[in-house]
Amino acid sequence: MTVLAHRTDTVTRDALAVLQPGFEGTTAPAWLLRRIGEGLTAVGLFGRNIASPGQLAALTAQLRTERDDVLVAIDEEGGDVTRLEVRGGSSFPGNLALGAVDDTGLTRDVARELGRRLAECGVNLNWAPSADVNSNPDNPVIGVRSFGADTHLAARHTAAYVEGLQAAGVAACTKHFPGHGDTNVDSHHALPRIDVDLDTLQVRELVPFKAAIEAGTKAVMSAHILVPALDPTRPATLSPQILTGLLRRELGYEGLIVTDGMEMHAIAGTYGIERGSVLAIAAGADAICVGGGLADEATVLRLRDALVAAVREGALPEERLADAAARVRALAVWTREARPDAQPEGSRASGIGLTAARRALLVTGSAKPLSDPYVATLAPVANIAVGDETPWGVAAELAELLPGTGSGVYPEGASAGDILAAAGERTVVAVVRDAHRHPWMTEAVDALVAARPDTVVVEMGLPRAEPRGALHIATHGASRVCGRAAAEVIAGA
């Protein structure tokens, strides 16, 4: 009886150890601290948990009162996807901007400085970088989160990012394996399918992940995508062929495998999060990410109990769960013992984000000096990974440089006539995001340029369309510093 109770307790602790849950609020709830004391080894943070660097540092210290090596994870890509600066916009450009500059030293320095700021706040696992090759320009969920459409460019910058982040003592989690770049469906809403052959996967999708593994990435995140060439029935997150066969055996990866958010519809709407979590661990995943949408104790207990029941019923080998939990604990030990590299002499850390954003600009044409422009932001619906909390655009930044600046936000359905009526005689600055994916944006900008040839156009997404307007600026991302860099050009600063 004592042996059985000990075994049950061990399985329960292991089941808690493989979970990476979220929670509500800016302080740790009592239930979360209690579960950490019972074996929970990781916690995921989102924008709702962060009010300031000081508050975040206090929160992570609170979590560590229960376990000094707890993994505190965050989805901080920089650029469009920021949690650390969710209410003001990131101080760093995202991957596409870094890829546009194509200076791996700059990418490494940006990642290191981002990691340093995370480490100062007590965050030690970053669900970044995105190693996806953005081979499909109509991809609704990757886009500017990718370093670009060139495989080898993406590979060298993925490796540089991993090295920079981990030099700061923060574990990198390279995503979304085996590559989310060739999809036209957002896995937050449905299950994407990539119909390419094995040769294409080997020479395109897998190359950046191989580079990340060679660079020593401590974690890899799986994608909720169906790749029939690898597994015709199960998405990567639930596929033994992909996680164990390809990632572990063929690529030789030995670190932590983390799932993408299990409440995303690609899994929750097809398998359910309990069954999906069991299948993921059985397939070779080591950690279950959940908490973006489901952030309560009941979810943690549901998943814990589903894993324990699967072990008891023989659906999940106890050894596989124990192995997964051991990998989580091993990473926790690494983060506790990590010694960040010394800041290099002559470091570019001070203002490096804005410096990088300025270098990433692609400017075509010129504009007359402006004193009171009208900024029209043509705003698409934000994808869930980016969220709609974070401000973007150039209006606020331009208003600091040109106090007479006026502005308005225009959703789908707005026309050039609406913008011109609001602008009056002022020069229009039309700000768009992935205009090539939104015909209504393209139509509005074409009409604006036809009516007002002096229109300034700022593309803050993937720059696919031909430059238009008297001045056209491609920022390669919509972070705050990208907006600032564009505003400086418009204002003649």
Side-chain angles (χ1 to χ4, degrees):
M1 198 69 171
T2 303
V3 173
L4 179 60
H6 175 73
R7 175 177 176 272
T8 301
D9 182 63
T10 299
V11 171
T12 300
R13 290 184 68 84
D14 286 347
L16 279 172
V18 303
L19 303 180
Q20 294 189 350
F23 61 95
E24 299 285 349
T26 54
T27 58
W31 69 261
L32 183 64
L33 296 175
R34 184 169 61 254
R35 300 305 172 192
I36 292 174
E38 294 173 358
L40 187 70
T41 310
V43 174
L45 300 182
F46 298 85
R48 62 176 179 254
N49 305 122
I50 301 169
S52 69
Q55 168 271 323
L56 178 55
L59 170 58
T60 58
Q62 183 187 15
L63 294 171
R64 292 195 170 94
T65 60
E66 294 294 330
R67 184 185 183 108
D68 64 357
D69 66 347
V70 67
L71 290 169
V72 181
I74 198 169
D75 195 2
E76 183 60 46
E77 299 176 15
D80 292 27
V81 179
T82 179
R83 309 295 179 239
L84 199 59
E85 299 180 275
V86 65
R87 290 168 185 83
S90 180
S91 299
F92 303 93
N95 285 2
L96 188 67
L98 295 172
V101 177
D102 196 13
D103 176 349
T104 54
L106 178 66
T107 295
R108 190 176 295 107
D109 286 350
V110 165
R112 189 187 185 286
E113 175 61 13
L114 178 58
R116 186 191 66 78
R117 296 190 190 186
L118 290 173
E120 278 188 348
C121 296
V123 176
N124 54 14
L125 172 59
N126 191 8
W127 294 320
S130 168
D132 307 295
V133 179
N134 198 55
S135 52
N136 185 346
D138 293 326
N139 193 316
V141 68
I142 301 300
V144 297
R145 300 167 66 197
S146 166
F147 289 110
D150 181 278
T151 298
H152 297 288
L153 179 145
R156 60 180 173 265
H157 286 277
T158 295
Y161 197 105
V162 167
E163 292 165 355
L165 195 62
Q166 293 185 170
V170 175
C173 183
T174 306
K175 60 189 182 185
H176 306 80
F177 187 82
H180 210 310
D182 194 20
T183 64
N184 58 9
V185 172
D186 186 342
S187 49
H188 291 90
H189 302 299
L191 179 61
R193 178 185 175 109
I194 297 182
D195 285 304
V196 297
D197 57 34
L198 287 173
D199 288 343
T200 300
L201 289 168
Q202 287 288 351
V203 301
R204 190 178 67 186
E205 270 73 20
L206 297 182
V207 174
F209 290 97
K210 293 176 183 177
I213 292 169
E214 290 174 4
T217 186
K218 294 296 178 180
V220 169
M221 178 176 283
S222 66
H224 302 331
I225 56 174
L226 188 66
V227 188
L230 298 172
D231 187 330
T233 59
R234 288 188 179 177
T237 295
L238 313 183
S239 171
Q241 293 96 309
I242 294 174
L243 298 188
T244 299
L246 176 59
L247 183 53
R248 288 274 186 233
R249 294 175 186 157
E250 185 176 333
L251 300 186
Y253 176 65
E254 298 180 353
L256 191 74
I257 299 177
V258 183
T259 72
D260 207 344
M262 295 301 285
E263 65 268 59
M264 293 164 63
H265 197 72
I267 299 296
T270 51
Y271 294 86
I273 63 168
E274 293 97 332
R275 181 173 176 236
S277 295
V278 170
L279 291 173
I281 297 295
D286 306 304
I288 302 296
C289 177
V290 65
L294 300 171
D296 53 24
E297 184 177 20
T299 299
V300 172
L301 297 181
R302 282 166 57 197
L303 297 183
R304 179 201 67 182
D305 293 347
L307 292 166
V308 171
V311 170
R312 289 175 179 166
E313 295 162 5
L316 174 63
E318 183 176 349
E319 296 77 11
R320 171 77 276 271
L321 179 62
D323 173 64
R327 290 180 190 275
V328 174
R329 294 178 187 125
L331 181 58
V333 170
W334 179 86
T335 60
R336 184 180 59 191
E337 297 178 350
R339 296 292 179 266
D341 292 350
Q343 190 82 351
E345 189 175 344
S347 169
R348 296 180 285 182
S350 178
I352 190 171
L354 182 55
T355 297
R358 287 168 175 158
R359 290 181 64 186
L361 294 182
L362 179 61
V363 180
T364 306
S366 61
K368 64 182 181 181
L370 305 178
S371 58
D372 58 346
Y374 181 80
V375 179
T377 304
L378 282 66
V381 175
N383 75 55
I384 293 176
V386 174
D388 57 9
E389 297 175 276
T390 306
W392 66 280
V394 303
E397 300 294 336
L398 191 56
E400 288 187 8
L401 300 173
L402 300 176
T405 299
S407 64
V409 177
Y410 297 85
E412 183 172 1
S415 68
D418 299 327
I419 296 169
L420 292 171
E425 297 302 313
R426 292 177 288 184
T427 299
V428 174
V429 178
V431 183
V432 295
R433 199 173 187 176
D434 290 337
H436 68 284
R437 294 199 301 109
H438 303 284
W440 66 274
M441 278 189 204
T442 300
E443 293 171 9
V445 170
D446 286 345
L448 283 171
V449 172
R452 298 275 187 85
D454 63 346
T455 295
V456 175
V457 179
V458 181
E459 170 60 83
M460 303 195 77
L462 200 65
R464 294 284 296 175
E466 289 296 318
R468 288 163 294 175
L471 175 66
H472 186 279
I473 304 172
T475 61
H476 300 95
S479 71
R480 176 174 55 80
V481 288
C482 290
R484 177 70 185 191
E488 290 174 347
V489 173
I490 296 167

